[in-house]
Amino acid sequence: MSSISSSTSRFRGSAIANSPIKRPIRGAKPKQGLDEEALEEIKEAFNLFDTEGKGSIDVRELKAAFRALGFQVKKAEIRQMFVDLDKDLSSAIVSFDEFLEMVTPKMLSRDSREEIMKVFALFDDDNTGAISFKNLKRVATELGENLTDEELQEMVDEADRDGDGVINEEEFYRVMRKRENPLDEID
């Protein structure tokens, strides 16, 4: 793992990792099946709406908090979550632990490959089925990443396993999953 991997990791997580609100949630414990990264993602979404740092959010902000995690939920679905938690529907606030209970099933059922392919599509704005140096440079610029052309080319070269000069879907998926399972590197 070289500086390329650290550049890739830095680039991969920059949009969320640079969120201005970084408060730990008191009493947050990993839920069954959620890894630390998913728990951190949930904390960040919750913190966006817990602007006073009280450890709770207004029930009216639940839909937006779910949207921040990439989930579209309807009011009826939120009502059902309240019923499932035995929580009074008239309650005006939701604690972090309650939010965690509500969001965990959605996080566990999320198809990580599907999510990664959505990100791939954001890079592949010219719809070529591959991420070129030009695509990568555009995204780095949009995200405010100060990477040199040399660093960007190293990222392409590191991910480009078939040597065609671009990153196809499988290569992109492999790079994005690398952090999750280091054994994927063993062929």
Side-chain angles (χ1 to χ4, degrees):
M1 299 274 179
S2 64
S3 66
I4 298 167
S5 295
S6 65
S7 293
T8 305
S9 295
R10 184 182 75 194
F11 185 69
R12 178 175 43 227
S14 63
I16 292 177
N18 292 329
S19 171
I21 301 172
K22 291 282 189 182
R23 289 186 310 273
I25 302 288
R26 292 178 299 281
K29 305 168 214 66
K31 294 295 296 174
Q32 185 70 19
L34 288 179
D35 59 17
E36 287 300 319
E37 188 175 338
L39 184 61
E40 185 61 31
E41 189 178 350
I42 294 167
K43 285 179 192 176
E44 288 174 6
F46 186 85
N47 285 342
L48 286 173
F49 299 95
D50 181 20
T51 55
E52 296 174 10
K54 293 181 176 179
S56 62
I57 60 175
D58 190 285
V59 71
R60 294 172 297 212
E61 296 171 321
L62 268 179
K63 277 182 76 167
F66 273 95
R67 260 196 315 275
L69 290 167
F71 301 114
Q72 299 297 325
V73 294
K74 298 191 179 338
K75 286 181 182 177
E77 200 173 344
I78 290 174
R79 276 191 220 96
Q80 185 58 51
M81 289 177 194
F82 269 66
V83 169
D84 293 345
L85 287 176
D86 290 328
K87 183 161 177 68
D88 184 6
L89 290 170
S90 64
S91 176
I93 62 167
V94 175
S95 71
F96 176 74
D97 286 339
E98 291 167 335
F99 181 68
L100 187 59
E101 286 289 324
M102 293 173 169
V103 80
T104 295
K106 290 196 165 294
M107 293 293 284
L108 291 175
S109 67
R110 173 163 81 174
D111 181 358
S112 65
R113 182 171 185 91
E114 182 181 312
E115 297 293 317
I116 291 171
M117 289 303 104
K118 286 178 186 176
V119 173
F120 179 86
L122 295 174
F123 280 82
D124 182 25
D125 67 331
D126 51 5
N127 297 315
T128 61
I131 298 170
S132 65
F133 171 84
K134 184 181 123 201
N135 297 133
L136 189 57
K137 184 170 182 140
R138 175 189 55 79
V139 172
T141 302
E142 288 175 3
L143 292 176
E145 291 290 333
N146 295 320
L147 298 171
T148 66
D149 286 357
E150 195 173 85
E151 289 173 314
L152 291 169
Q153 188 59 54
E154 286 177 5
M155 290 168 69
V156 171
D157 294 343
E158 174 80 12
D160 179 23
R161 296 180 61 88
D162 62 11
D164 63 358
V166 293
I167 304 167
N168 64 35
E169 288 183 353
E170 286 306 312
E171 292 164 338
F172 185 76
Y173 181 72
R174 183 181 181 90
V175 167
M176 297 303 286
R177 295 285 298 188
K178 190 183 284 187
R179 207 169 54 182
E180 294 177 29
N181 186 358
L183 297 177
D184 287 345
E185 284 302 299
I186 302 172
D187 287 332

